[in-house]
Amino acid sequence: MTSVTDDLPLAADFPQATVEDWRKLVDGVLKGAPFEKLVGKTYDGLKIEPLYPRAKGVAPVMGRPAAAPWQIVQRIDHPDAVLANAQALQDLENGATGLALVFAGANDARGFGLEPSAEAVAKVLKDIHLDAGIGIELEIGPQSRMAAIHVAEYVKSKGLDPAACNIRFGLDPLAAGAVWGHSPYAWEEIAPAVTGAIKGLAALGFKGPFASADGRVIHDAGGSEVQELAFVLACGVAYLRAIEGAGIPLEAAQGMVYARLAADADQFLTMAKFRALRLLWARVETACGLAPKPLFIAADTAWRMLTQRDPYVNMLRATIATFAAGLAGANAITVLPHTLALGLPDPFARRVARNTQLLLLEESNLAKVSDPAAGAGGIEALTAQLCDAAWALFQESEKAGGAFAALQQGLFQSKVAAARTAREANIAKRRDVLTGASEFPNLHERETAVLTATPVALPPYGEQKYKFDALPPIRLAEPFEALRDKSDAALKTRGARPRVFLANLGTPAEFTARATFAKSFFEAGGIEALDSEGFADPAKLAAAFKASGAELACLCSSDKVYAGQAEPAAKALQTAGARHIYLAGRPTDAEAALRAAGVTGFVFAGGDALATLQDAYRRMEQA
């Protein structure tokens, strides 16, 4: 019997496609436009080509042991230590393999956190078997640094073997100083205090690691991947030097430092960043005369990508970030609950954060292959570029005198500020999309539940003796959320949101595309878009606008329809009382005539949506 596939050609019958064949097809589509139009760039100026060959002669980047899962870490940040303990026990019973004890005043406390007292530590760790392989991450700040000592004392009081407890103590005064923008002490005073604590903990039998080189503070402040990597290297080397200077051999100091990175929704850049850090740290170890050992890297899904609006989209962003960090070899991952930007997450949000990792590990088996990106041309190229650029910036900080001196001189802060400005401009223009906030908003979303809790009050932190520019955390969606807050306030006080009338011209085929765009554009700022049928008669259009009660109007149709109908339509709307009239589309040669007819602005892809929306509110307030 003959198979239906017998006459189909085999793969060998097809000629091998070449890059030149591909370029011919691409050039045909570009129609004379430069090929560089297809080359993307990161915020560090690194090139992202549209096509890469397979990378040859590369070895996998070694991270976790082969086929070993990463630690599934859950945040424990409830100010009530008894309730926090209940959360921790529930997380451990349902699949978590690690806990991040977040103390008030920590860089990532986000307004909450545990009290840094011995009593609170004892309560939150009650019935938790610290010697059973559970990973414990301490999130502490200058005001809560004693929590590390209290945790160590608790372990000893329970008669546990410190070496059997997997505790990362999170000592990191450099990151704290970067966030706060000041320090009561010079580095020459800080280093002995840190190394004294490390030596004391090591003498008790704890294996560490103890000092954290935390790149999250750079990422939280809007910085780039290169800046984050260079800051981790600068801090890590500073701690290594301090530990060696305290009389601890470098071979022992090697395991006392670990790193923290942010993982965000840019999958390939995140993967390349984690891989690059391992290669860069191996270069540091080699320069120190050490045999490289895999650096412990703890990951958090990114704070800056969280949105308060349509927070369920945060689940998707967190999934991509976890996927990327896990494949790139992170040793521990903490998923920020999707409602964290709104307040203290409830049990549902915590469960989703935990299950995001469980599904990727247990059902997708992501940990079964070590460094699956090895040999992938695009990711290998990005990894190499990140290594070169981050090493150069790290050398700049070394020339400045090290991490603390570089902060005093504003080296990192100036570069982060430039990256943040560029990022914010792209957010404003919606080139970088925040789904649910800057694009595809839902004005009728339900209120999201969070827990009610009273934050722990801490005394002010020390004298501001050594001041430098601070790197406070940001969320990229905040400017759009501020406009949505204004809209909510108007709804509460007046019973209606600000409104824009979509003045659709012609047939649905002619106006639907731009009307859909305009609706998303205005509603991203909380301005409710009122749809309409297509109009050809300016008088009927004016009557419909009057009946809508809208403050603004936006003409929506094709360029062909605009040519014949936009001007009379704008004049009719202006006569009907519309002081502010927009047109969906780019300005053309007819811009002057349209403005003379009453059009006050244009809304289009790539325009500054945020500035346009902020101006719309100013206009409505002046009306």
Side-chain angles (χ1 to χ4, degrees), residues 46-72:
L46 309 182
K47 287 186 177 181
I48 302 177
E49 301 285 348
L51 184 70
Y52 289 91
R54 178 185 298 175
K56 297 179 180 179
V58 295
V61 177
M62 300 311 297
R64 297 188 307 271
W70 62 82
Q71 288 178 11
I72 300 173

Side-chain angles (χ1 to χ4, degrees), residues 172-226:
D172 194 2
L174 288 170
V179 173
W180 286 69
H182 66 85
S183 172
Y185 310 104
W187 177 245
E188 292 73 21
E189 300 170 279
I190 295 171
V194 173
T195 55
I198 290 173
K199 291 176 77 171
L201 291 167
L204 289 173
F206 291 98
K207 60 183 180 181
F210 306 104
S212 164
D214 192 351
R216 297 174 304 171
V217 299
I218 300 295
H219 196 277
D220 288 353
S224 70
E225 289 75 21
V226 165

Side-chain angles (χ1 to χ4, degrees), residues 102-127:
V102 182
F103 290 90
N107 294 337
D108 71 332
R110 314 304 178 198
F112 295 98
L114 295 156
E115 181 184 347
S117 66
E119 294 78 11
V121 166
K123 288 177 181 177
V124 76
L125 292 177
K126 185 175 182 291
D127 297 328

Side-chain angles (χ1 to χ4, degrees), residues 337-615:
H338 67 280
T339 59
L340 185 60
L342 290 164
L344 198 60
D346 68 356
F348 172 72
R350 296 181 60 81
R351 177 163 61 88
V352 170
R354 184 177 65 240
N355 287 351
T356 297
Q357 301 198 57
L358 284 170
L359 288 170
L360 291 175
L361 273 175
E362 303 299 333
E363 295 194 16
S364 299
N365 294 302
L366 294 192
K368 298 299 183 183
V369 179
S370 297
D371 194 21
I379 297 178
E380 291 287 5
L382 270 177
T383 302
Q385 289 184 85
L386 285 172
C387 283
D388 292 343
W391 189 259
L393 180 53
F394 164 61
Q395 289 179 314
E396 280 190 58
S397 73
E398 288 290 280
K399 290 176 182 177
F404 192 84
L407 287 172
Q408 287 182 299
Q409 296 167 34
L411 173 65
F412 286 107
Q413 296 94 317
S414 61
K415 295 181 184 299
V416 169
R420 182 176 61 245
T421 298
R423 199 181 301 279
E424 289 172 342
N426 282 335
I427 293 290
K429 294 176 181 179
R430 305 199 302 175
R431 290 173 179 164
D432 291 352
V433 173
L434 292 169
T435 303
S438 66
E439 288 270 24
F440 309 111
N442 178 11
L443 292 188
H444 307 291
E445 62 183 288
R446 295 180 180 179
E447 187 174 349
T448 305
V450 292
L451 300 179
T452 300
T454 302
V456 172
L458 295 176
Y461 169 56
E463 179 186 354
Q464 298 185 21
K465 190 173 180 181
Y466 298 90
K467 295 183 180 180
F468 35 83
D469 293 336
L471 289 171
I474 64 168
R475 285 186 306 101
L476 297 172
E478 288 177 298
F480 282 95
E481 290 169 353
L483 297 178
R484 294 283 295 274
D485 291 343
K486 281 189 174 185
S487 174
D488 287 349
L491 178 62
K492 186 175 181 180
T493 57
R494 299 186 340 218
R497 298 184 185 278
R499 290 172 292 187
V500 59
F501 177 77
L502 301 183
N504 299 326
L505 306 178
T507 66
E510 292 166 323
F511 66 71
T512 296
R514 280 179 168 156
T516 301
F517 170 83
K519 177 179 174 65
S520 178
F521 183 100
F522 285 103
E523 292 194 346
I527 300 173
E528 186 176 5
L530 305 179
D531 210 348
S532 68
E533 61 184 42
F535 293 94
D537 183 349
K540 289 183 178 179
L541 173 66
F545 169 75
K546 273 189 174 181
S548 74
E551 297 93 333
L552 311 170
C554 181
L555 294 167
C556 302
S557 197
S558 66
D559 290 342
K560 182 178 179 180
V561 172
Y562 286 155
Q565 298 186 35
E567 287 182 46
K571 289 178 181 177
L573 289 169
Q574 190 175 47
T575 302
R579 296 186 180 183
H580 316 295
I581 304 167
Y582 300 90
L583 183 141
R586 290 180 177 274
T588 63
D589 293 340
E591 179 180 359
L594 289 167
R595 288 191 180 277
V599 173
T600 54
F602 298 81
V603 297
F604 52 90
D608 193 329
L610 184 61
T612 299
L613 292 166
Q614 289 170 335
D615 179 69

Side-chain angles (χ1 to χ4, degrees), residues 205-290:
F206 291 98
K207 60 183 180 181
F210 306 104
S212 164
D214 192 351
R216 297 174 304 171
V217 299
I218 300 295
H219 196 277
D220 288 353
S224 70
E225 289 75 21
V226 165
Q227 294 155 10
E228 187 178 357
L229 289 169
F231 186 75
V232 169
L233 292 180
C235 294
V237 168
Y239 293 135
L240 272 183
R241 285 198 182 107
I243 295 168
E244 184 189 26
I248 298 175
L250 266 179
E251 289 77 8
Q254 190 175 14
M256 293 181 172
V257 177
Y258 69 107
R260 290 169 169 169
L261 290 177
D264 63 28
D266 191 322
Q267 177 187 331
F268 297 134
L269 261 180
T270 294
M271 292 180 71
K273 178 174 70 176
F274 277 74
R275 299 175 82 248
L277 179 56
R278 293 200 179 281
L279 297 175
L280 288 165
W281 191 251
R283 190 185 299 185
V284 168
E285 291 172 312
T286 301
C288 293
L290 297 169

